[in-house]
């Protein structure tokens, strides 16, 4: 098969591992920067032009599109879909997962447990907003934040008011979320491929840090998910129509609570923590579905 990885850097761990596993299984794997593609829209024959050639020979794509290039990156994925090319994640699913508010609404409708969350249109009644999530401390998240950026822990009512007023002044939309103290700065990341959990790790934030992201100095270790945690991960992937994704959860006194679903999860942390060959699972998923 001719497999294209849509990535801006072939040297990134996740991209390099997918190349390695694809080539091991005898496929031709190519990395293409989606921002350097031209989308050719014409009657009956949509195509993509890249580096002096038409990409009409591609069998499958693996989108590895960063949040900052979602709009054009998803336009390229959509064009491949119009050409009948198989994709591990559809353009609609990526857009859906990148919109935190939209994804939370869908996940809530699917009956998946989450921390109490409030979204308001620049409300000045901040005390009322805080009461909806049980009062301070609270987590305040920018809708567009990734990798722990744009996430603030407000430990008091005054701190929450200051943060929300600052965000409102910048016209930056934010979610206010219940703080789960019993999680103690840790969360779970489950990697789902083709509807099944193929690896899971527990991420622990460094001392004094409530965010557990590995990019922010957190550590990771392998964990075996219980029945409820497996169910949340698989149901969340199904609700957002993401065959390949990372599902982040908190362990709470009332069971697992979903934090976020990532449509292009990194492989380095979870392969390192679990010893599982996640990249191979993704290539196998393409083979199974392309056939």
């Amino acid at each position: 098969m001719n497999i294209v990885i849509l990535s801006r850097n072939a040297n990134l761990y996740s991209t390099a591992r997918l190349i390695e596993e694809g080539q091991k299984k005898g496929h031709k794997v190519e990395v293409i920067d989606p921002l350097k593609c031209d989308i050719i829209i014409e009657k009956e024959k949509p195509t993509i032009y890249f580096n002096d050639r038409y990409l009409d020979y591609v069998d499958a794509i693996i989108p590895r599109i960063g949040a900052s290039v979602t709009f054009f990156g998803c336009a390229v994925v959509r064009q491949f879909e119009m050409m009948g090319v198989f994709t591990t994640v559809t353009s609609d699913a990526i857009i859906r997962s990148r919109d935190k508010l939209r994804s939370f609404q869908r996940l809530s409708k699917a009956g998946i447990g989450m921390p109490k969350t409030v979204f308001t249109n620049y409300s000045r009644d901040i005390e009322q907003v805080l009461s909806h999530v049980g009062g301070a401390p609270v987590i305040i998240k920018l809708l567009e934040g990734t990798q722990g950026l744009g996430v603030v822990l407000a430990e008091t009512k005054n701190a929450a008011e200051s943060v929300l007023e600052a965000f409102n002044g910048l016209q930056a939309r934010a979610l206010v979320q219940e703080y789960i103290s019993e999680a103690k700065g840790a969360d779970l990341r489950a990697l789902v491929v083709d509807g099944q959990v193929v690896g899971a790790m527990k991420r622990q934030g460094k001392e004094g840090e409530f965010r557990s992201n590995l990019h922010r100095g957190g550590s990771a270790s392998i964990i075996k998910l219980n029945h409820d945690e497996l169910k949340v991960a698989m149901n969340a992937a199904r609700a957002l129509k993401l065959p390949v994704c990372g599902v982040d959860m908190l362990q709470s006194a009332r069971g697992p609570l979903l934090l976020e679903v990532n449509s292009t999860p990194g492989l380095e942390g979870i392969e390192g923590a679990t010893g599982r060959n996640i990249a191979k699972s993704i290539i196998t998923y393409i083979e199974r579905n392309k056939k």
Side-chain angles (χ1 to χ4, degrees):
M1 269 193 295
N2 291 305
I3 299 174
V4 161
I5 302 172
L6 293 174
S7 171
R8 303 203 65 204
N9 186 349
N11 295 318
L12 293 174
Y13 178 92
S14 301
T15 304
R17 285 286 296 119
L18 290 164
I19 295 168
E20 179 185 7
E21 293 301 327
Q23 291 177 341
K24 274 184 185 177
K25 303 196 85 176
H27 304 300
K28 182 180 178 182
V29 185
E30 184 179 6
V31 177
I32 286 176
D33 183 345
L35 296 191
K36 295 181 180 178
C37 291
D38 293 331
I39 297 171
I40 313 298
I41 301 170
E42 60 183 10
K43 184 179 179 181
E44 295 182 355
K45 194 182 177 183
T47 188
I48 296 172
Y49 190 73
F50 171 81
N51 203 19
D52 299 328
R53 67 188 189 278
Y54 293 99
L55 303 182
D56 52 7
Y57 55 86
V58 179
D59 297 305
I61 61 170
I62 305 173
R64 299 290 311 171
I65 295 167
S68 62
V69 297
T70 297
F71 177 79
F72 193 80
C74 284
V76 173
V77 175
R78 191 179 307 115
Q79 189 77 349
F80 274 115
E81 292 167 3
M82 298 299 103
M83 295 161 59
V85 175
F86 177 79
T87 177
T88 55
V89 186
T90 67
S91 55
D92 283 347
I94 295 172
I95 292 168
R96 192 183 301 122
S97 68
R98 294 272 166 89
D99 184 333
K100 283 191 177 71
L101 178 59
R102 183 180 177 188
S103 62
F104 280 1
Q105 288 172 317
R106 287 183 68 99
L107 293 163
S108 173
K109 177 69 174 175
I112 295 168
M114 293 177 285
K116 294 174 186 174
T117 303
V118 174
F119 176 71
T120 183
N121 190 37
Y122 305 130
S123 171
R124 297 193 179 279
D125 191 355
I126 292 173
E127 190 166 341
Q128 183 65 40
V129 171
L130 297 181
S131 72
H132 289 312
V133 296
V138 295
I139 301 294
I140 302 172
K141 295 181 177 180
L142 286 176
L143 285 181
E144 297 82 14
T146 60
Q147 297 182 349
L149 298 173
V151 181
V152 178
L153 169 62
E155 298 191 16
T156 66
K157 173 176 169 287
N158 287 341
E161 286 178 346
S162 296
V163 172
L164 286 170
E165 285 170 1
F167 284 168
N168 288 349
L170 295 169
Q171 295 190 330
R173 298 185 183 276
L175 298 168
V176 180
Q177 202 166 63
E178 170 190 15
Y179 176 62
I180 307 299
S181 59
E182 60 265 33
K184 297 178 180 178
D187 71 7
L188 308 180
R189 159 66 64 92
L191 213 301
V192 176
V193 178
D194 202 9
Q196 300 298 314
V197 174
V198 295
M201 63 179 172
K202 184 170 186 175
R203 304 184 297 187
Q204 179 67 56
K206 64 182 180 181
E207 185 146 359
E209 175 62 74
F210 72 96
R211 293 166 294 189
S212 60
N213 304 73
L214 301 184
H215 295 84
R216 310 196 68 80
S219 59
S221 58
I222 189 171
I223 190 170
K224 183 176 181 180
L225 301 183
N226 63 34
H227 175 266
D228 289 342
E229 291 160 353
L230 286 168
K231 189 175 177 182
V232 166
M234 292 187 290
N235 286 348
R238 190 179 304 117
L240 295 183
K241 298 183 180 178
L242 287 167
V244 177
C245 62
V247 180
D248 297 342
M249 298 171 280
L250 290 176
Q251 293 176 308
S252 81
R254 58 182 191 269
L257 300 176
L258 188 134
L259 274 181
E260 190 174 4
V261 183
N262 190 323
S263 54
T264 53
L267 304 183
E268 185 171 9
I270 197 156
E271 284 197 339
T274 66
R276 301 280 177 83
N277 193 334
I278 307 296
K280 181 180 178 181
S281 297
I282 294 172
I283 299 298
T284 301
Y285 164 62
I286 293 173
E287 293 173 332
R288 188 162 55 239
N289 284 271
K290 182 59 184 169
K291 288 177 183 176

